[in-house]
Amino acid sequence: MKSLKATGNQLADPAFQLTVLRQEVVDVLHLPPFHVKMQEVGLFPLRPVAPAVLQINVGKMCNQVCKHCHVDAGPDRKEIMTRETMQLCLNALAATDIPTVDLTGGAPEMNPDFRWFVEQITALGRKVLVRCNLTIIVANKKYYDLPEFFKKHGVEVVSSLPFYSADKTDRQRGDGVFDDSIRALKMLNAVGYGQPDSGLVLNLVYNPAGAFMPGPQAALERQFKQALLRDHGIVFNGLFAITNLPVSRFLDYLVESGNYAGYMEKLVTAFNPSAAAGVMCRDTISVGWDGGLYDCDFNQMLDLHVASTSQHIRNFDATALAQRPIVLNQHCYGCTAGAGSSCGGTVA
């Protein structure tokens, strides 16, 4: 498979994605625009709280081409954060008390300055969280020591695993991904990740494989823990159940499969004010590979910059960002449906 961008798909264009979202939700289904729904529950304009996470996308290059990827990442994507931009991130971080840096991609480990960046962030006394697709650990010999590197720097590892069986995992992420993921998880377990009292946190991420919302997170976590321990001897700390948002490749899947209208109706019908109050964009600032600033990773992929005078990491202004209204659009229904969804799982 190739990325939407490489194949010239219209949905590689963020502006076209926003047009599709608007037309289907408002003009065809006659569902309320997201900001109207937020207004009804007293959450518009949505305002940030004190930032707890600086989420940094260090590049769209990835060793996988997953069917649900909202980043449209893959081996053919060459957008990579430079060390210069990383240094700007470090400068901004040093001027704040934001405690956690969430590194994402693509496969963040494929950025040539990834390890240097982790070392510099931890030197500032901040917690580092890495979103690892697992297969990168076994993709090439140069990555085999990643578990030891993560351990050395106390990195929290958040790993994608669509299901605890090969069939469902490979259908979403590609042939052989499940077996490689199990191998990588065993390598992480071997150095202490997920083990009781080790202090090395290993969390898994579950995304539904089709046009439906995830089940209850606690129940899914129990199922994953039982199955992975029984079948593979694998342990982990927690499971994040994340709703697929109608962005990029998942939006393309919904449109091509004829599931788009039904899926959006499900999300809108399941709107939960409690989840809306706890959305991740309120305490997160997202940084793009080129240094642009966004309210969240999904807004980043739709090219929806923050509504602030501070729109790039080079002129990061914590005071200005604290006063901004959060930019909303129809895709935001995905984060507010049911128990809610964030990069850390359910929120309600």
Side-chain angles (χ1 to χ4, degrees), residues 185-309:
L185 284 168
K186 289 181 176 180
M187 291 169 69
L188 288 163
N189 276 176
V191 301
Y193 272 94
Q195 303 289 356
D197 304 318
S198 70
L200 298 172
V201 178
L202 170 62
N203 292 318
L204 301 185
V205 172
Y206 164 81
N207 290 85
F212 52 89
M213 297 190 302
Q217 181 170 283
L220 283 165
E221 182 178 302
R222 286 194 296 272
Q223 291 173 25
F224 269 71
K225 285 189 170 181
Q226 291 170 1
L228 290 176
L229 181 61
R230 179 190 67 232
D231 298 338
H232 306 284
I234 288 170
V235 294
F236 64 94
N237 296 95
L239 179 119
F240 302 157
I242 299 181
T243 301
N244 287 314
L245 266 66
V247 176
S248 194
R249 267 187 229 142
F250 189 67
L251 178 57
D252 180 58
Y253 156 75
L254 291 172
V255 172
E256 289 298 313
S257 64
N259 282 302
Y260 181 47
Y263 188 70
M264 292 308 298
E265 283 190 294
K266 287 178 188 175
L267 296 184
V268 176
T269 302
F271 177 82
N272 182 350
S274 296
V279 285
M280 62 185 174
C281 52
R282 301 193 75 180
D283 69 355
T284 299
I285 297 172
S286 174
V287 186
W289 68 271
D290 58 356
L293 298 181
Y294 306 85
D295 294 305
C296 72
D297 192 46
F298 300 106
N299 277 12
Q300 182 185 143
M301 299 312 147
L302 291 169
D303 204 25
L304 296 171
H305 283 79
V306 288
S308 170
T309 54

Side-chain angles (χ1 to χ4, degrees), residues 99-125:
T100 300
V101 177
D102 183 343
L103 298 180
T104 185
E109 301 90 344
M110 292 184 77
N111 185 302
D113 292 311
F114 168 78
R115 298 190 191 219
W116 173 84
F117 199 29
V118 170
E119 291 165 354
Q120 299 303 308
I121 296 168
T122 54
L124 289 174

Side-chain angles (χ1 to χ4, degrees), residues 61-264:
M61 185 179 293
C62 189
N63 62 309
Q64 295 183 175
V65 187
C66 301
K67 292 181 179 178
H68 72 298
C69 183
H70 71 279
V71 180
D72 192 28
D76 56 54
R77 299 304 297 265
K78 307 304 179 186
E79 300 93 332
I80 288 288
M81 181 176 281
T82 64
R83 185 175 289 209
E84 178 185 11
T85 304
M86 287 179 173
Q87 186 59 59
L88 293 174
C89 292
L90 293 168
N91 296 345
L93 188 64
T96 74
D97 57 0
I98 296 175
T100 300
V101 177
D102 183 343
L103 298 180
T104 185
E109 301 90 344
M110 292 184 77
N111 185 302
D113 292 311
F114 168 78
R115 298 190 191 219
W116 173 84
F117 199 29
V118 170
E119 291 165 354
Q120 299 303 308
I121 296 168
T122 54
L124 289 174
R126 311 305 165 92
K127 173 185 172 182
V128 177
L129 186 155
V130 171
R131 296 192 178 269
C132 178
N133 68 16
L134 291 176
T135 63
I136 190 65
I137 294 175
V138 298
N140 187 292
K141 286 191 292 185
K142 66 181 179 180
Y143 300 122
Y144 288 178
D145 66 335
L146 277 171
E148 289 286 358
F149 175 80
F150 292 153
K151 177 181 179 179
K152 179 181 178 181
H153 296 284
V155 172
E156 178 176 325
V157 179
V158 179
S159 298
S160 303
L161 190 69
F163 209 63
Y164 47 79
S165 68
D167 178 54
K168 290 186 178 181
T169 297
D170 289 0
R171 267 190 286 153
Q172 187 183 99
R173 305 185 79 92
D175 292 343
V177 166
F178 182 78
D179 289 341
D180 284 348
S181 298
I182 293 299
R183 181 181 165 198
L185 284 168
K186 289 181 176 180
M187 291 169 69
L188 288 163
N189 276 176
V191 301
Y193 272 94
Q195 303 289 356
D197 304 318
S198 70
L200 298 172
V201 178
L202 170 62
N203 292 318
L204 301 185
V205 172
Y206 164 81
N207 290 85
F212 52 89
M213 297 190 302
Q217 181 170 283
L220 283 165
E221 182 178 302
R222 286 194 296 272
Q223 291 173 25
F224 269 71
K225 285 189 170 181
Q226 291 170 1
L228 290 176
L229 181 61
R230 179 190 67 232
D231 298 338
H232 306 284
I234 288 170
V235 294
F236 64 94
N237 296 95
L239 179 119
F240 302 157
I242 299 181
T243 301
N244 287 314
L245 266 66
V247 176
S248 194
R249 267 187 229 142
F250 189 67
L251 178 57
D252 180 58
Y253 156 75
L254 291 172
V255 172
E256 289 298 313
S257 64
N259 282 302
Y260 181 47
Y263 188 70
M264 292 308 298

Side-chain angles (χ1 to χ4, degrees), residues 25-84:
V25 173
V26 179
D27 300 337
V28 177
L29 298 176
H30 304 296
L31 298 169
F34 185 74
H35 76 274
V36 171
K37 200 74 171 176
M38 293 291 275
Q39 205 164 25
E40 291 174 356
V41 296
L43 286 172
F44 184 80
L46 186 65
R47 298 286 181 180
V49 296
V53 179
L54 188 67
Q55 187 175 63
I56 305 173
N57 186 306
V58 298
K60 297 186 179 183
M61 185 179 293
C62 189
N63 62 309
Q64 295 183 175
V65 187
C66 301
K67 292 181 179 178
H68 72 298
C69 183
H70 71 279
V71 180
D72 192 28
D76 56 54
R77 299 304 297 265
K78 307 304 179 186
E79 300 93 332
I80 288 288
M81 181 176 281
T82 64
R83 185 175 289 209
E84 178 185 11

